[in-house]
Amino acid sequence: MDGSVFQDGDDIHEYLAKHERKDMLRFLTCGSVDDGKSTLIGRLLYDAKMVFDDQLETLGSDSKKFGTQGGEIDFALLVDGLAAEREQGITIDVAYRFFSTEKRKFIVADTPGHEQYTRNMATGASTADVAIILIDARQGMLPQTRRHSFICSLLGIRHVVVAVNKMDLKDYREDVFRGIEDEYREFAKPLGFESITCIPLSALKGDNMLTQSPSTPWYDGSALLPYLETIDVSRKDDQPFRMPVQWVNRPNLDFRGFAGTVVSGEVRPGDEIVVLPSGKRTKVERIVTRDGDLDMADKNRAVTLTLADEVDASRGDIIAAAQQPPEQSAQFQAKILWMDDEEMLPGRQYILKSSNRMIPAQITDLKHRIDVNTLKELSGKTLKLNEIGECNLSLTQRLVFDPYKDNRQMGSFILIDRMTNHTVGVGMIDYALRRSKNVHWQALEVNKESRQTMLGQKSAMLWFTGLSGSGKSTVANLVEKRLHDLGRLTYVLDGDNVRHGLNRDLGFTDADRVENIRRVGEAGKMMVDAGIITLVSFISPFETERQAVRERMDENEFIEVYISTPLEVAEQRDVKGLYAKARKGEIKNFTGIDSPYEAPSNPEITVDTSEVAAEKAAELIVEYLDSKGYLGN
Amino acid sequence: MLTTETLLRRAERLSDVSGLSLTTISRKLLNDGKGLARIKNGGRMTAKTLEAAAEKLDALEIAETPRADELLSPEAMTHLDRLEAESIHIMREVVAEVENPVMLYSIGKDSAVMLHLALKAFYPSKPPFPLLHVDTTWKFREMIKFRDNLAEKLGLELRVWTNQDGIEQGVGPFTHGSAVHTDIMKTQALKQALNHYKFDAAFGGARRDEEKSRAKERIFSFRTADHRWDPKSQRPELWNVYNTRTAVGESTRVFPLSNWTELDIWQYIARENIDIVPLYLADKRPVVERDGTLIMVDDDRMPIHPGEKVEEKMVRFRTLGCYPLTGAVESNANTLPQIIEEMLLSRSSERQGRVIDHDQSASMEKKKQEGYF
């Protein structure tokens, strides 16, 4: 230990030279609440002499104020940095700590144990090489022990330490330790860890932390710190060269460089590479850095490449070894860990962000959820916060990737909600779905433009949205009549002709409403492709879904008509008697009563039928279409 | 206390993994090549011998256990190389995805490193964003001189922002105290500048090892339209896939140096020959001792109280900020290796020199929630 601490009289140059060539290990601590994670890290920092005098002073006063150790020094307070954490004595978010010993530098992620903060635990696990999973010797394995072990395995951590903590409170009994060890090893068999090391500990008392403890004479393994200093986490890494293009560097017309970080393999000037998805091949010309060109760039190096030929590449592309290119697909299977309070809805559009690009994506199918306690597969339609599932995804463009098990950077992605911009889920790609390799878009000679020309109109989708009874269908029908009179080809999609046929299998849960709108959107898009002016009349309460349909259409093909008639008026009309039933509780999930309606933020047209007569509204809409050139000459 | 059986079992295991024969191990532990064999056959030893043998075994195990290479091969990336690459990756990601980024430049050593990394990240282009300095008008004069020289030398766009309302009200640390001064001249000024220029991402040089609430913060740290940080619902941040999306008016603070430690910063400055403000190096400077802190008399706005006297002392600064709020340390260290040596030997953390952090342990978190960097 002492070699890590610089002492008076040591040679500073020698110390720094050695320090600079140290290896770095990233690990995390996880496990259930109160298993002693923060105490363990606090203890490591304290024993590694990484706690400064002024911090120690604050720690002393904080221990008296918030400590859970009866006024004794509470090491957990060294790491629990947020006010709410100190007050409640729990860890809410992951904290990163840094320390070094004679042999290694360490970055520790101290992660929260409460189930509701699992996403913060996953944040810490995604960059770790080793996981320390704490178990309270008095409690044994808890659901969180299993959940965290599973997430560690899911995120590709290959070495775990099972730290059976608080052994002092169990009189350092070997049978207690062995019982927990056996149970854990049995549970962890399917998780595929490369090594599992079990250590009996007392983080508070310091047993088996730095050296083997005399209190556990029956334990013949390594103490924790020597283990961390010596564990070999290097991978037999023979993954081929990959570099996602982050940014195109173009200071002048004579220089065009592709900036990015090498995520696997290595690259040299003269190497044959391929730019994906375009598939253009060329050679690497130079590896440019501000400190001069490099002969070779290996994994984790941030560089700028110039290429021998003028090939077109931009942000989002992947530069890869020409002989071993990655796969590309718009459809694949992935494991998803859901991280948002709002549940995952199959069919809803999210933004998928991979290492260097964003692509609209939807989860087409939740194949099954995974029970983190038993690792059994469960059926389900949605994923709630902290749930894990195997899903099929469909993207609007093809993604270049490698499976996550082969390449962490090339196989990982996050999902972002398009409205809130929250990171709602994270995913690890398993494999491409076969069908996407076989389905190609046929470029037909007869196309939308030729059909529109034939019909003498520009096709578009008029999307009528509003509360039940607001007058959507009334106005839509009047518009259609008027257009028909003018000799235009039209069609109306509404609840009456869709709910009874195409969408007969759907109910009124949020998930079904999303799917309902998705199908209507797709059907409408085909009609627009056929050249028809299509009028869609649906309550369609969610902005996200309407937005998703809009984005599937070409520019100026989606015209949102918001029938803004207020709820009181619609309820008073109650043409079909539905509001009365909903108020009595006979209909569940009724929009405006016990299910929300999200008004459009930027509709092309807004009509309030309590102020404007339906005929007048229809006239205004037709005028709008005429003025924008949809009705031809 | 270790039992004889455990000693034997550990010795045998050590023999397996290290290739040392049991006889050799026996000689090292007991000064007797056949000692272990005798014990195996039922021989006994005194508690004292056992204790001595156990101690030697501990040392032998550490020395003989095969392990990852202790020091890296010369061509492998060092941890400084890795930190550098990570920071560059973060900066490029911001420039590629955000419309109007800015780099907060505070003239200190961390800013110096951050700017140096930006020069590397976009080479041969210049960093495609301006630098912003929030000037409280109370910075050390040497800092301002250094700032202007550097911007000119590098040909970078430097924007300086001062809270004019604060100036009109005559806000300063001597008259209003550190809390009010910091809030109005730093926090409010920063918000004004970000709003004025409509920056949607701002690089800052904060590190996680500085302070406990920093240790909890994401690299891409989301701010609401009124610049608030909500520590309890931060976006998950996995791998190096960063969510840069914000709605109009919202913004992101980005910390490319999150994973650097104070030692890393100094080592990197030494390795890369980065220019730093001379105030970091010891020199004779006029100081006054006030409430146990040495304050440098940088200009005549500093009132000298009765009983105080201005002394010329060899001092330097571990952090730089507003001169009335930055404590000097007595030191003779005037080279980088000496500074590093002094830092390694000192037993107090670098923020101690800052008057503003002292009040309460959660003060940084509170200030950050209100929009402080």
Side-chain angles (χ1 to χ4, degrees):
Chain A
M1 277 308 301
D2 285 322
S4 69
V5 179
F6 182 78
Q7 287 169 336
D8 221 349
D10 289 357
D11 183 290
I12 183 69
H13 296 282
E14 194 182 305
Y15 175 88
L16 292 179
K18 188 169 177 196
H19 184 77
E20 206 198 317
R21 300 224 67 79
K22 273 181 202 169
D23 186 15
M24 185 149 84
L25 183 81
R26 301 183 70 133
F27 68 94
L28 83 152
T29 52
C30 54
S32 196
V33 186
D34 287 337
D35 285 347
K37 295 174 294 296
S38 300
T39 308
L40 182 128
I41 294 186
R43 182 94 212 180
L44 278 176
L45 292 175
Y46 182 75
D47 286 345
K49 304 194 172 54
M50 298 305 287
V51 184
F52 295 115
D53 291 344
D54 59 328
Q55 291 174 331
L56 213 53
E57 209 175 286
T58 315
L59 178 65
S61 64
D62 278 3
S63 292
K64 291 200 183 77
K65 219 187 303 175
F66 309 113
T68 55
Q69 300 302 325
E72 298 268 308
I73 284 193
D74 185 350
F75 293 107
L77 293 175
L78 271 179
V79 277
D80 284 339
L82 302 176
E85 296 180 320
R86 280 198 297 274
E87 281 154 19
Q88 298 173 47
I90 57 164
T91 307
I92 292 173
D93 212 327
V94 54
Y96 296 92
R97 290 278 148 182
F98 308 82
F99 71 99
S100 63
T101 67
E102 195 181 353
K103 301 190 178 69
R104 261 188 176 157
K105 273 181 64 92
F106 297 96
I107 300 183
V108 196
D110 177 29
T111 68
H114 282 86
E115 185 181 343
Q116 69 186 111
Y117 305 124
T118 300
R119 60 184 179 191
N120 297 333
M121 178 267 163
T123 292
S126 70
T127 50
D129 303 309
V130 173
I132 301 180
I133 296 167
L134 277 98
I135 297 180
D136 184 336
R138 298 169 303 173
Q139 308 274 342
M141 282 178 66
L142 295 171
Q144 279 301 79
T145 320
R146 298 188 176 91
R147 177 186 297 274
H148 284 178
S149 300
F150 182 59
I151 291 172
C152 286
S153 136
L154 198 66
L155 288 170
I157 291 178
R158 295 169 310 136
H159 303 278
V160 298
V161 176
V162 179
V164 181
N165 192 23
K166 305 193 185 181
M167 286 298 292
D168 52 319
L169 301 177
K170 279 297 205 179
D171 303 323
Y172 302 101
R173 275 165 48 200
E174 180 172 9
D175 61 324
V176 173
F177 173 73
R178 296 289 173 214
I180 293 170
E181 173 171 18
D182 293 347
E183 189 186 353
Y184 188 87
R185 287 188 190 278
E186 186 58 36
F187 158 78
K189 265 183 196 161
L191 296 182
F193 294 123
E194 206 164 287
S195 78
I196 298 175
T197 307
C198 300
I199 307 179
L201 279 184
S202 167
L204 194 64
K205 308 264 185 226
D207 292 300
N208 288 324
M209 292 291 290
L210 302 191
T211 54
Q212 274 145 329
S213 166
S215 305
T216 53
W218 42 265
Y219 173 67
D220 58 3
S222 172
L224 182 63
L225 190 65
Y227 167 88
L228 294 172
E229 285 181 318
T230 54
I231 170 85
D232 183 1
V233 292
S234 64
R235 267 174 190 245
K236 304 295 160 260
D237 203 340
D238 49 2
Q239 287 299 312
F241 169 66
R242 308 275 187 259
M243 188 189 93
V245 176
Q246 259 188 301
W247 186 70
V248 179
N249 195 337
R250 197 104 218 251
N252 54 57
L253 290 175
D254 301 327
F255 187 92
R256 188 180 167 81
F258 303 99
T261 303
V262 177
V263 299
S264 63
E266 51 187 53
V267 66
R268 291 182 167 74
D271 281 1
E272 282 215 35
I273 55 98
V274 58
V275 179
L276 294 167
S278 75
K280 298 247 169 55
R281 282 162 181 258
T282 179
K283 283 181 181 164
V284 173
E285 186 184 54
R286 295 169 56 199
I287 304 172
V288 180
T289 78
R290 188 163 179 260
D291 306 308
D293 285 9
L294 301 179
D295 300 329
M296 188 272 282
D298 52 353
K299 188 175 163 175
N300 295 326
R301 193 83 67 171
V303 293
T304 301
L305 302 182
T306 64
L307 304 177
D309 302 299
E310 277 267 321
V311 300
D312 185 32
S314 54
R315 176 174 169 85
D317 289 350
I318 305 284
I319 298 180
Q323 301 309 316
Q324 294 159 285
E327 292 182 59
Q328 44 178 313
S329 175
Q331 284 165 327
F332 46 77
Q333 183 187 307
K335 295 196 181 64
I336 287 182
L337 167 57
W338 197 250
M339 296 191 157
D340 201 51
D341 294 325
E342 204 173 309
E343 63 189 13
M344 179 274 277
L345 296 177
R348 172 170 283 192
Q349 267 212 355
Y350 299 99
I351 293 163
L352 178 148
K353 182 167 183 198
S354 68
S355 64
N356 66 341
R357 69 187 297 201
M358 289 196 251
I359 303 177
Q362 54 173 299
I363 292 153
T364 47
D365 186 22
L366 171 61
K367 298 180 71 178
H368 53 79
R369 290 185 294 130
I370 299 169
D371 182 322
V372 293
N373 277 312
T374 59
L375 307 182
K376 287 213 172 77
E377 298 176 357
L378 304 172
S379 66
K381 274 195 159 182
T382 66
L383 288 178
K384 294 195 180 67
L385 177 69
N386 296 324
E387 288 186 336
I388 297 160
E390 271 185 15
C391 305
N392 287 347
L393 281 96
S394 175
L395 279 57
T396 57
Q397 292 158 48
R398 283 195 284 182
L399 178 74
V400 180
F401 73 97
D402 288 303
Y404 186 79
K405 67 174 171 44
D406 296 336
N407 197 321
R408 263 192 191 187
Q409 275 80 20
M410 291 287 296
S412 53
F413 60 85
I414 62 175
L415 293 171
I416 301 170
D417 185 277
R418 16 188 358 125
M419 301 305 290
T420 64
N421 290 326
H422 291 169
T423 301
V424 292
V426 300
M428 288 130 284
I429 301 176
D430 291 327
Y431 49 79
L433 296 176
R434 192 162 295 278
R435 61 199 164 112
S436 72
K437 286 182 180 159
N438 300 330
V439 178
H440 292 288
W441 294 106
Q442 308 256 348
L444 298 169
E445 287 196 14
V446 178
N447 58 23
K448 182 161 63 187
E449 284 70 35
S450 57
R451 294 187 204 102
Q452 289 180 344
T453 310
M454 192 176 87
L455 294 168
Q457 64 186 34
K458 190 174 161 358
S459 55
M461 190 191 297
L462 283 153
W463 188 282
F464 293 78
T465 175
L467 295 166
S468 174
S470 60
K472 294 182 297 298
S473 294
T474 312
V475 176
N477 289 331
L478 287 168
V479 171
E480 186 179 34
K481 256 190 200 154
R482 186 85 189 90
L483 290 176
H484 189 79
D485 289 345
L486 292 168
R488 302 293 157 225
L489 184 59
T490 57
Y491 192 75
V492 174
L493 288 167
D494 62 15
D496 289 336
N497 60 14
V498 173
R499 277 268 177 205
H500 298 302
L502 179 64
N503 290 353
R504 192 169 52 189
D505 56 330
L506 298 178
F508 288 89
T509 62
D510 282 2
D512 281 356
R513 280 169 183 258
V514 168
E515 172 63 10
N516 182 41
I517 296 307
R518 189 193 69 80
R519 287 188 202 172
V520 171
E522 287 298 336
K525 185 172 155 55
M526 282 189 264
M527 292 195 166
V528 171
D529 196 51
I532 302 169
I533 296 174
T534 311
L535 299 92
V536 180
S537 166
F538 274 83
I539 297 173
S540 49
F542 303 132
E543 170 103 80
T544 317
E545 273 59 59
R546 297 190 303 262
Q547 187 62 22
V549 175
R550 181 191 288 271
E551 283 174 23
R552 300 273 291 129
M553 307 292 294
D554 288 349
E555 209 169 319
N556 300 327
E557 273 185 353
F558 186 88
I559 301 160
E560 193 167 24
V561 185
Y562 174 34
I563 307 295
S564 66
T565 313
L567 178 64
E568 308 80 66
V569 179
E571 187 169 1
Q572 206 180 358
R573 288 182 191 156
D574 204 5
V575 196
K576 299 172 190 165
L578 297 173
Y579 280 96
K581 283 187 186 165
R583 286 289 182 199
K584 279 188 222 147
E586 289 169 32
I587 306 177
K588 288 271 173 253
N589 297 329
F590 194 77
T591 302
I593 305 298
D594 57 352
S595 184
Y597 177 79
E598 298 167 2
S601 38
N602 277 311
E604 274 75 9
I605 301 169
T606 303
V607 173
D608 182 345
T609 59
S610 66
E611 286 176 16
V612 181
E615 288 79 3
K616 179 72 188 154
E619 205 56 49
L620 285 171
I621 293 168
V622 173
E623 270 173 36
Y624 175 91
L625 293 174
D626 193 25
S627 69
K628 299 278 178 186
Y630 291 95
L631 307 182
N633 300 316
Chain B
M1 193 56 230
L2 198 70
T3 63
T4 324
E5 293 74 48
T6 311
L7 180 81
L8 201 58
R9 199 160 68 215
R10 278 173 56 185
E12 282 172 350
R13 179 193 291 199
L14 180 62
S15 169
D16 281 351
V17 291
S18 67
L20 295 175
S21 72
L22 212 53
T23 320
T24 311
I25 294 173
S26 179
R27 200 163 45 237
K28 292 196 176 198
L29 300 186
L30 303 164
N31 284 324
D32 172 4
K34 295 194 180 123
L36 284 175
R38 255 197 294 279
I39 293 165
K40 205 171 172 180
N41 292 325
R44 302 193 150 270
M45 59 177 141
T46 64
K48 211 174 149 196
T49 315
L50 181 63
E51 198 177 326
E55 240 172 66
K56 286 180 190 160
L57 183 58
D58 285 345
L60 199 58
E61 277 177 340
I62 291 173
E64 292 298 332
T65 308
R67 61 179 60 129
D69 291 341
E70 253 182 50
L71 298 178
L72 298 158
S73 58
E75 63 276 8
M77 288 176 81
T78 65
H79 75 268
L80 284 181
D81 293 335
R82 291 228 248 163
L83 289 169
E84 176 188 86
E86 180 184 69
S87 304
I88 289 175
H89 178 87
I90 292 163
M91 290 184 181
R92 288 172 172 172
E93 202 60 14
V94 170
V95 163
E97 289 205 338
V98 169
E99 274 182 32
N100 193 17
V102 66
M103 176 168 282
L104 278 247
Y105 177 69
S106 74
I107 325 178
K109 61 183 194 307
D110 303 298
S111 284
V113 167
M114 185 164 64
L115 179 56
H116 185 78
L117 290 164
L119 295 173
K120 287 196 175 199
F122 305 102
Y123 177 85
S125 296
K126 280 186 183 161
F129 43 74
L131 305 180
L132 173 67
H133 180 230
V134 174
D135 192 347
T136 62
T137 71
W138 290 89
K139 301 294 173 189
F140 290 93
R141 283 174 300 164
E142 262 188 281
M143 291 171 71
I144 302 301
K145 207 170 98 192
F146 182 89
R147 175 194 78 189
D148 294 342
N149 284 344
L150 189 76
E152 199 188 314
K153 192 176 98 191
L154 297 174
L156 295 176
E157 184 189 349
L158 170 72
R159 297 187 192 172
V160 177
W161 186 273
T162 301
N163 183 350
Q164 291 305 330
D165 303 341
I167 298 282
E168 278 161 29
Q169 292 159 28
V171 174
F174 294 122
T175 45
H176 293 71
S178 73
V180 172
H181 168 72
T182 304
D183 179 50
I184 294 182
M185 299 310 286
K186 287 179 87 171
T187 309
Q188 300 308 326
L190 174 64
K191 289 198 233 175
Q192 286 172 354
L194 296 176
N195 289 342
H196 178 81
Y197 293 113
K198 297 192 166 47
F199 292 124
D200 48 3
F203 293 108
R207 309 186 316 268
R208 283 169 173 160
D209 80 325
E210 278 178 73
E211 198 269 335
K212 280 189 285 188
S213 68
R214 296 265 199 233
K216 297 263 168 182
E217 192 163 6
R218 301 282 188 260
I219 292 172
F220 281 68
S221 188
F222 175 77
R223 293 293 189 279
T224 59
D226 52 356
H227 303 282
R228 292 185 72 86
W229 178 53
D230 182 0
K232 281 195 272 185
S233 65
Q234 300 193 77
R235 290 177 178 174
E237 188 169 89
L238 282 87
W239 307 289
N240 56 1
V241 183
Y242 301 109
N243 180 352
T244 56
R245 285 175 60 101
T246 51
V248 177
E250 297 169 345
S251 62
T252 313
R253 306 274 170 98
V254 184
F255 303 107
L257 304 181
S258 287
N259 288 328
W260 294 59
T261 64
E262 188 184 9
L263 178 57
D264 297 329
I265 293 287
W266 281 118
Q267 272 199 287
Y268 191 72
I269 288 171
R271 184 181 99 170
E272 303 277 315
N273 256 322
I274 300 172
D275 276 346
I276 49 169
V277 184
L279 290 163
Y280 285 112
L281 302 172
D283 204 347
K284 272 213 173 302
R285 297 187 171 99
V287 291
V288 164
E289 186 175 339
R290 185 172 291 176
D291 304 329
T293 308
L294 291 176
I295 303 294
M296 178 171 156
V297 184
D298 195 49
D299 58 36
D300 53 16
R301 286 180 296 177
M302 173 150 171
I304 310 296
H305 301 318
E308 285 180 341
K309 73 170 191 279
V310 183
E311 291 174 280
E312 289 278 320
K313 283 190 171 167
M314 279 298 279
V315 293
R316 62 178 205 90
F317 295 87
R318 295 183 66 186
T319 61
L320 293 180
C322 296
Y323 82 82
L325 300 176
T326 311
V329 289
E330 289 196 67
S331 163
N332 289 313
N334 55 12
T335 65
L336 276 180
Q338 283 172 357
I339 291 180
I340 298 175
E341 189 168 351
E342 201 173 89
M343 183 199 87
L344 290 169
L345 290 172
S346 93
R347 298 292 299 148
S348 64
S349 64
E350 63 181 312
R351 295 200 80 85
Q352 201 188 19
R354 293 196 190 176
V355 181
I356 52 169
D357 283 352
H358 264 322
D359 344 342
Q360 44 178 313
S361 52
S363 75
M364 177 58 80
E365 180 185 345
K366 247 169 105 179
K367 281 204 290 289
K368 285 165 66 61
Q369 285 185 35
E370 288 155 9
Y372 184 74
F373 225 85

